[in-house]
Amino acid sequence: MFALKLATRAKSLAKRLPNATCIKLIHTQNVLYKNKSDDILNVDIRGESLQFPNVWLRENCQCEQCYHTSAKSRILDWSNFDINVKPKDVSKDQNSLQITWNDGHRSEFNLNWLKLRGFTPENQKNYTETIYKPKKITWHSEDFVKIFSKHDYNEILNSDEALYNWLHKLSVYGAALIQNTPDSETAIDAVINKIGFPKQTHYGVKFVVRSVPNTSNVAYLSSNLQLHTDLPYYEYCPGANLLHCLVQTATPGGENLLSDCHYVADYMKENHPEQYKLLTDTEIEWRDVGIEDGNEFFKLHREPVICLDRHGDITRINFSIPQRGSQFPGPIELVKPWYEAHGLFLSLNHKFAAKFKTKAGEILSFNNIRLLHGRNAYEDSENNVRQLIGAYVDWDEIYSRLRCLKVKLQNEDGIY
Amino acid sequence: MFALKLATRAKSLAKRLPNATCIKLIHTQNVLYKNKSDDILNVDIRGESLQFPNVWLRENCQCEQCYHTSAKSRILDWSNFDINVKPKDVSKDQNSLQITWNDGHRSEFNLNWLKLRGFTPENQKNYTETIYKPKKITWHSEDFVKIFSKHDYNEILNSDEALYNWLHKLSVYGAALIQNTPDSETAIDAVINKIGFPKQTHYGVKFVVRSVPNTSNVAYLSSNLQLHTDLPYYEYCPGANLLHCLVQTATPGGENLLSDCHYVADYMKENHPEQYKLLTDTEIEWRDVGIEDGNEFFKLHREPVICLDRHGDITRINFSIPQRGSQFPGPIELVKPWYEAHGLFLSLNHKFAAKFKTKAGEILSFNNIRLLHGRNAYEDSENNVRQLIGAYVDWDEIYSRLRCLKVKLQNEDGIY
């Protein structure tokens, strides 16, 4: 209350004083205009000096005319918006910052909300790693036993914390295992419903992995399945793969191989920079042609093996020997060097891959745009036909569920 | 037959001759090694001299051990693959090229198949625009009457050609209209089934656009809907939007606005290069928080307003004033200049937007990651409640259907 009273007095004084004095008065409350520019406001929040642009503050006004509370969306009309807007009066109390603008509009901001949106690299990093997406941790074969977490099917269905833990491990390490899954072709559905909904592809909403003669996809052969990502020929490639093992083969074959391409890419960047550059720069055409349930498809998508964003961070891995098209959409001089880089990438993935064999009742979940996965050849017998039920979920839905659970479990102020 | 016989003779001769002579012999049949490097093969196809890398030819061998015909996939095993493979004997007849490799393997290639995969810029451009994706043509408000094609609902359902025409116009211009749609909430399903399947989002598989109090999305208000793209907070953003108008408002409001951002971006690049750069370089956080059908969501995705690929071509537009988050994931110095560029982009989109009003029975289809769309405010009355049924389809499925239809309608040789 004291701070509010002070603020009111400052405002009434400010009306009668020239601009310079106004700044000084506001300064006494730890709020001031930056001298070098009239466009930025300094605010002390819990001992930290933070800067906020006026235009950003005005556009993110949280009042009912500017922000729709139930839609949690900005509703401010840009046809009347002035990007040169200036604060006329500024005040602060223990929990909020109040601004009256030169157009007469009044805004109030929660200080925790402001701090979380601070423009310092530290505040932005904190927001990115706690709210946007958990930071990935890379691994190779020797680390696999440590990072490969086990989760219980029933706990995931019944506890927000168990669901959060599974999805968090999956997002950080790119792989996690669910155990004690009921022996049913629909058991995987309940897990997906806890996240949101499955991603449909031209192979359907769910798919059965079983040896099939005359297949339209090489995954349905029982021979050695070389390391790959699924469906690289989709521009909107499935984010995560869930594979529920209903029947595992009794023969020595059928083991899974998993490799963290973020580790392999870092390794290549350091030890084989030219090959790394070829795999990040050269567009490849990924392809799938066939027919499934009467639906013909002819998918093509062009992207490098290692896709980077503007910060040089990996966004997606594309790799599949069978589903790399014969069209090479680049200059002929790149072809042989690219094949060399491709061969190196494949052999490094083999070198750093983890090997294990899922059991019946286990769901292997992994990041399909980060890991390569493969399977050794196996043989079915009359009484032992290997069978998996597979489904995909997009990272959009997984990250969304993680954020909702985080808000629920940690109940932090100022996130929205 | 004559060519085959010659080839056989050349092969038997080559066995007894040193390498240089072998090249000369093969040359007489318009097939030769490039002198500067032993890695490339020259092939004359219908009067055009084309070059193909050995490693590429060997890896794309179309024989049954290397290529699975029903899966239309490469099955060659890379653990035994030699990227330094060389042709031992090469011959050519009217329709195919035959190569015997130094490991004894034999390959045969259809010449049309080879020509379509030629490494010259002209051949690659031809493949890109006829097979990969039709070339986009930009437009602005004055062109709209000419480019906005009308298609008949029943023809689309019953004719491959009508379906192809609609999808082709949609992909080239980014907008097309379907007329004579039955007055039913499920009529849109049949159109989507002709393509493949709808894209599900956290708003469901289909959505009803109608004025709703206490909405979780500003699209469900009857006020002015500012120009935007749908769901920019999805990493895997819906590609195309289908809006079936069941009931249109009888008041003057409710008109659609459509703007081709590829035109606007080109215009900005030429006339306002600094602002263009700000919109292509600056990552923005797109956001949607709410609950739909009991499913909580908290979506975040970071991307610039104008997303470019490595060639400088636009891949996607993100724009939504309500669904731009308050978190600005960049340096504070960029904030005000970015707001200026954003304001310019919005005003240019208004300047170049087409305006029209769909009628009951019409499905407006448009590219959601290329166009901005908006709607003027309207008023419902007791007997006239505006209602649209909306659904999304991904470009992966649309381009796939276009390619399948093209193959079917044109029956060209060598595409697969």
Side-chain angles (χ1 to χ4, degrees), chain A residues 56 59 74 83-84 117 127 234-237 285 295 321 324 326 336 339 396-397 401, chain B residues 56 59 74 84 117 127 234-237 285 295 298 321 324 326 336 339-340 396-397 401:
Chain A
W56 177 88
E59 208 220 12
R74 188 181 292 110
I83 60 169
N84 293 309
R117 285 155 183 79
Y127 177 93
Y234 259 84
E235 180 176 357
Y236 288 175
C237 183
E285 188 163 288
N295 175 39
I321 290 163
R324 181 161 35 75
S326 47
K336 198 173 177 200
Y339 270 96
D396 280 310
E397 309 309 328
R401 179 62 55 237
Chain B
W56 177 86
E59 207 220 12
R74 188 180 293 110
N84 294 310
R117 286 155 184 79
Y127 176 94
Y234 259 85
E235 180 176 0
Y236 287 175
C237 181
E285 187 164 288
N295 175 39
F298 184 175
I321 290 163
R324 180 161 35 76
S326 47
K336 198 173 177 200
Y339 270 96
E340 283 166 347
D396 280 310
E397 309 308 327
R401 179 62 55 235

Side-chain angles (χ1 to χ4, degrees), chain B residues 136-190:
Chain B
K136 293 186 174 78
I137 299 173
T138 63
W139 53 267
H140 63 87
S141 46
E142 285 171 29
D143 310 319
F144 189 68
V145 182
K146 280 176 283 173
I147 66 94
F148 193 50
S149 58
K150 317 279 194 297
H151 306 265
D152 182 78
Y153 180 87
N154 281 306
E155 283 179 21
I156 284 175
L157 297 196
N158 296 308
S159 148
D160 280 344
E161 214 170 329
L163 179 60
Y164 179 85
N165 286 340
W166 166 51
L167 295 177
H168 191 259
K169 296 281 186 191
L170 176 59
S171 70
V172 170
Y173 298 107
L177 194 73
I178 301 175
Q179 298 178 312
N180 308 317
T181 312
D183 180 21
S184 147
E185 292 198 8
T186 59
I188 206 172
D189 302 354

Side-chain angles (χ1 to χ4, degrees), chain B residues 57-90:
Chain B
L57 284 164
R58 177 64 190 90
E59 207 220 12
N60 288 296
C61 175
Q62 304 285 298
C63 85
E64 278 183 16
Q65 287 107 59
C66 299
Y67 188 79
H68 195 278
T69 314
S70 67
K72 291 194 178 64
S73 296
R74 188 180 293 110
I75 44 172
L76 166 146
D77 183 359
W78 256 72
S79 55
N80 301 316
F81 186 64
D82 173 17
I83 60 170
N84 294 310
V85 67
K86 299 268 182 285
K88 208 169 106 190
D89 293 311
V90 183

Side-chain angles (χ1 to χ4, degrees), chain A residues 39-40 51-53 55-56 59-60 67-68 70-78 81 83-84 113 116-117 119 124 127-128 131-133 195 197-202 214-218 221 226 233-237 280-281 283 285 287 289 295-302 304 310-311 316 321-322 324-330 332 335-336 339-340 342-343 346 369 394 396-397 400-401 403-404 407-408 415-416, chain B residues 39-40 51-53 55-56 59-60 67-68 70-78 81 83-84 113 116-117 119 124 127-128 131-133 195 197-202 214-218 221 226 233-237 280-281 283 285 287 289 295-302 304 310-311 316 321-322 324-330 332 335-336 339-340 342-343 346 369 394 396-397 400-401 403-404 407-408 415-416:
Chain A
D39 290 332
I40 284 173
Q51 301 186 318
F52 299 96
V55 61
W56 177 88
E59 208 220 12
N60 288 297
Y67 188 78
H68 195 280
S70 67
K72 291 195 178 63
S73 296
R74 188 181 292 110
I75 43 172
L76 166 145
D77 183 359
W78 255 73
F81 186 65
I83 60 169
N84 293 309
W113 184 95
L116 202 60
R117 285 155 183 79
F119 286 82
Q124 292 192 334
Y127 177 93
T128 301
I131 312 290
Y132 185 51
K133 291 179 185 176
I195 304 172
F197 50 87
K199 180 191 172 67
Q200 185 168 358
T201 74
H202 60 234
N214 298 320
T215 181
S216 67
N217 189 302
V218 291
L221 304 172
Q226 299 177 82
Y233 43 78
Y234 259 84
E235 180 176 357
Y236 288 175
C237 183
T280 56
D281 280 0
E283 273 189 0
E285 188 163 288
R287 188 185 90 146
V289 180
N295 175 39
E296 283 183 284
F297 52 82
F298 184 175
K299 292 285 192 320
L300 298 175
H301 177 59
R302 291 179 179 181
R310 63 193 61 243
H311 313 292
R316 168 174 168 176
I321 290 163
R324 181 161 35 75
S326 47
Q327 179 76 21
F328 188 95
I332 195 165
V335 174
K336 198 173 177 200
Y339 270 96
E340 283 165 348
H342 172 275
L346 179 59
I369 53 174
D394 279 338
D396 280 310
E397 309 309 328
S400 171
R401 179 62 55 237
R403 290 182 201 114
C404 290
V407 168
K408 215 168 165 181
I415 290 178
Y416 293 140
Chain B
D39 289 333
I40 284 173
Q51 302 186 317
F52 299 96
V55 60
W56 177 86
E59 207 220 12
N60 288 296
Y67 188 79
H68 195 278
S70 67
K72 291 194 178 64
S73 296
R74 188 180 293 110
I75 44 172
L76 166 146
D77 183 359
W78 256 72
F81 186 64
I83 60 170
N84 294 310
W113 184 96
L116 202 59
R117 286 155 184 79
F119 287 81
Q124 292 193 332
Y127 176 94
T128 301
I131 312 290
Y132 185 51
K133 291 179 185 175
I195 305 172
F197 50 87
K199 180 190 174 65
Q200 185 168 357
T201 73
H202 59 235
N214 299 321
T215 181
S216 67
N217 190 301
V218 291
L221 303 172
Q226 299 177 85
Y233 43 78
Y234 259 85
E235 180 176 0
Y236 287 175
C237 181
T280 56
D281 281 359
E283 274 189 0
E285 187 164 288
R287 187 184 91 145
V289 181
N295 175 39
E296 282 182 286
F297 52 83
F298 184 175
K299 293 283 191 323
L300 299 175
H301 176 59
R302 292 179 178 181
R310 63 193 62 242
H311 313 292
R316 167 174 169 177
I321 290 163
R324 180 161 35 76
S326 47
Q327 180 76 20
F328 188 95
I332 197 165
V335 175
K336 198 173 177 200
Y339 270 96
E340 283 166 347
H342 171 276
L346 178 60
I369 53 175
D394 278 339
D396 280 310
E397 309 308 327
S400 172
R401 179 62 55 235
R403 291 182 199 114
C404 291
V407 168
K408 214 167 168 182
I415 290 179
Y416 294 142

Side-chain angles (χ1 to χ4, degrees), chain B residues 351-401:
Chain B
K351 183 177 171 183
F352 295 124
K355 194 174 179 179
F356 67 98
K357 193 168 174 175
T358 50
K359 298 183 192 75
E362 291 180 337
I363 299 174
L364 170 62
S365 63
F366 60 93
N367 185 335
N368 182 53
I369 53 175
R370 168 176 171 181
L371 269 59
L372 296 194
H373 67 287
R375 187 204 59 218
N376 287 332
Y378 66 93
E379 273 182 40
D380 284 334
S381 67
E382 205 177 322
N383 300 317
N384 177 226
V385 179
R386 187 181 189 267
Q387 186 169 330
L388 307 177
I389 303 291
Y392 301 113
V393 188
D394 278 339
W395 281 102
D396 280 310
E397 309 308 327
I398 299 173
Y399 285 130
S400 172
R401 179 62 55 235

